[in-house]
């Protein structure tokens, strides 16, 4: 992994992928903790189940506005932090 991350392009791709995966996992985890189906969450977000499915996938990059809506549904505060990777 350390050799892989020495390349700036590889590190950028890795960080982008990790961030998207973490966001997707957090959305799915919140939904599970609240015993909510994708369809139920979609209804609260005024969207479709397919969109929620994409949000929980690792290739979709939700907007800040979408993340704020999700936070409100679960009565959570959205927090964005910068974390050193070195």
């Amino acid at each position: 992994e350390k050799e892989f991350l020495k390349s700036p392009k590889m590190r950028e791709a890795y960080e982008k992928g990790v961030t998207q995966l973490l966001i997707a996992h957090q959305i799915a985890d919140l939904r599970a903790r609240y015993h909510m189906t994708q369809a139920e969450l979609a209804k609260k977000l005024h969207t479709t189940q397919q969109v929620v499915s994409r949000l929980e996938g690792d290739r979709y990059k939700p907007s800040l506005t979408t993340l704020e809506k999700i936070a409100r549904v679960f009565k959570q505060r959205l927090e964005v932090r910068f974390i050193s990777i070195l």
Side-chain angles (χ1 to χ4, degrees):
E1 183 178 351
K2 287 182 182 182
E3 288 297 317
F4 176 79
L5 294 177
K6 283 183 181 179
S7 162
K9 283 186 179 183
M10 292 298 189
R11 183 170 43 215
E12 181 181 342
Y14 174 81
E15 286 302 320
K16 180 181 178 186
V18 166
T19 299
Q20 288 175 245
L21 187 59
L22 288 172
I23 290 169
H25 177 75
Q26 287 179 8
I27 294 168
D29 183 58
L30 273 170
R31 188 178 56 74
R33 277 194 283 147
Y34 281 77
H35 307 287
M36 192 180 294
T37 66
Q38 287 182 344
E40 291 168 332
L41 177 56
K43 187 173 182 177
K44 291 179 182 287
L45 294 173
H46 306 286
T47 190
T48 65
Q49 178 273 326
Q50 291 81 5
V51 169
V52 173
S53 178
R54 286 195 304 266
L55 285 168
E56 293 180 0
D58 64 347
R59 296 191 179 174
Y60 184 78
K61 193 163 124 179
S63 69
L64 189 55
T65 301
T66 299
L67 294 174
E68 289 169 334
K69 288 178 184 178
I70 293 167
R72 280 194 300 273
V73 165
F74 295 111
K75 295 179 176 46
Q76 302 285 313
R77 179 177 57 112
L78 179 63
E79 181 177 288
V80 177
R81 296 183 295 152
F82 293 96
I83 300 171
S84 175
I85 57 173
L86 299 178

